Amino acid sequence: MTSSPLAVIILTYNEEANLPACLESLRGLDCHVVVVDSGSTDRTVEIARAAGAEVVHHPFETHATQWAWALSHLPWRAEWVLGLDADQRLSPELRQELARLFSSERQRLRQADGFYLTRRQVFCGRWIRHGGYYPKRLLKLFRPERVRLDERDLVDHHFVVDGPVGRLRGDLIEENRKEDDLVFWLQKHAHYAALHAREELARRDSRAAWPLQPSLFGSPDQRTMWLKQRWYGLPLYLRPFLYFLYRYILRLGFLDGTEGLIFHFLQGCWYRFLVDVYLDQLRRQAAPVAAPERATPHA
């Protein structure tokens, strides 16, 4: 049990490069910190315990299933949960805003069941401010009894709250220091691309319905789902290049410098091209094989 109304859950696997900054950003915030580790072989668990966090272990399948397990099996209850990945940390402004929310602004807290945070993506030490990549709204703070997840999400995870939601102004900084090694980034995203293709095929075939009604004018998550539906209708192998041009030219991604060029091309084009390759392969494998035509005998 925890006496604080706020619990912070952090998922980890070999995160000694990222976890210290994540935990340090929580310093001074009245919260109970729980690290859900999936078999780290580096100093992750040692770092977490040294910082006073509770550590529990559970094998990893996908992010969505890991979060579902964490929210339903941990032996405590908190009024609110902040769900973080180890490569995410609170900006000073966001930490102060959360502190006010759970002290002097509790009326605002009582009026909502969840809050969107603004993600600030950092790649190779550079804040990616353009290309439509900032601001990105993520629902990360919620009442655990009001949240649900779509375990059919194979790559990303989305917390869905059934109730009123608000927005916090401070930034949630996402910076995976392991990805400064581009070999690590490429290997990780090659794996994600195969999962992404499987998920898209299921969504296209309506075997994996959306957890919310897609809507251009709905919540940030509903808007993302609506855009994905439009994305699915674009031609394979062409859409990654169109998306890169949209991000890099129309949305001014070129203003993000050399790091921005690398990021927008790899994340916006190369990765999505690889998804298309895998998706095309899956569709071909699933297509029925036509029976060979019977030869017509010569007259």
Side-chain angles (χ1 to χ4, degrees), residues 3-186:
S3 59
S4 172
L6 174 64
V8 180
I9 302 177
I10 307 168
L11 301 190
T12 61
Y13 175 71
N14 287 345
E15 292 290 357
E16 67 178 9
N18 294 312
L19 188 58
C22 177
L23 294 171
E24 178 63 28
S25 74
L26 301 172
R27 186 184 296 275
L29 193 63
D30 181 17
C31 61
H32 182 64
V33 181
V34 180
V35 168
V36 180
D37 187 72
S38 52
S40 293
T41 56
D42 63 0
R43 296 179 55 250
T44 295
V45 172
E46 176 187 342
I47 291 169
R49 287 177 173 154
E54 178 182 353
V55 179
V56 295
H57 302 274
H58 187 258
F60 184 89
E61 296 179 18
T62 68
H63 285 91
T65 57
Q66 190 78 335
W67 276 112
W69 181 89
L71 293 173
S72 61
H73 286 80
L74 291 182
W76 46 261
R77 284 290 178 265
E79 184 181 354
W80 286 85
V81 166
L82 175 63
L84 298 179
D85 293 325
D87 60 354
Q88 296 173 332
R89 64 183 187 270
L90 311 184
S91 66
E93 296 79 12
L94 178 57
R95 183 174 63 245
Q96 293 168 8
E97 189 173 6
L98 284 168
R100 292 195 303 270
L101 192 65
F102 285 90
S103 57
S104 60
E105 297 180 4
R106 293 190 63 86
Q107 178 61 32
R108 182 185 176 196
L109 199 64
R110 286 191 287 268
Q111 294 173 348
D113 290 323
F115 287 89
Y116 281 97
L117 279 58
T118 302
R119 184 189 66 184
R120 180 198 305 177
Q121 180 72 54
V122 177
F123 176 76
C124 291
R126 177 141 189 167
W127 176 8
I128 305 299
R129 302 183 65 169
H130 303 93
Y133 223 68
Y134 181 86
K136 170 72 173 178
R137 311 290 184 187
L138 301 177
L139 198 150
K140 304 287 279 184
L141 178 66
F142 49 84
R143 298 183 189 272
E145 73 277 7
R146 299 290 290 168
V147 76
R148 54 189 170 91
L149 290 111
D150 184 359
E151 295 191 24
R152 294 163 295 190
D153 283 337
L154 299 182
V155 181
D156 295 324
H157 63 276
H158 300 89
F159 297 114
V160 178
V161 166
D162 297 314
V165 296
R167 291 185 181 181
L168 301 184
R169 293 180 294 275
D171 285 357
L172 176 69
I173 303 169
E174 184 169 317
E175 180 180 15
N176 192 333
R177 290 181 169 90
K178 294 185 291 186
E179 293 180 353
D180 291 348
D181 177 1
L182 288 181
V183 172
F184 175 88
W185 194 100
L186 292 168

Side-chain angles (χ1 to χ4, degrees), residues 24 51 68 71 122 170 185 227 230 235 252 270 277:
E24 178 63 28
L71 293 173
V122 177
W185 194 100
L227 290 171
R230 310 284 85 72
L252 307 180
W270 176 85
V277 172

Side-chain angles (χ1 to χ4, degrees), residues 261-277:
L261 172 60
I262 297 170
F263 180 79
H264 291 301
F265 179 77
L266 289 180
Q267 202 274 344
C269 186
W270 176 85
Y271 171 72
R272 283 167 171 77
F273 189 86
L274 198 55
V275 171
D276 284 2
V277 172

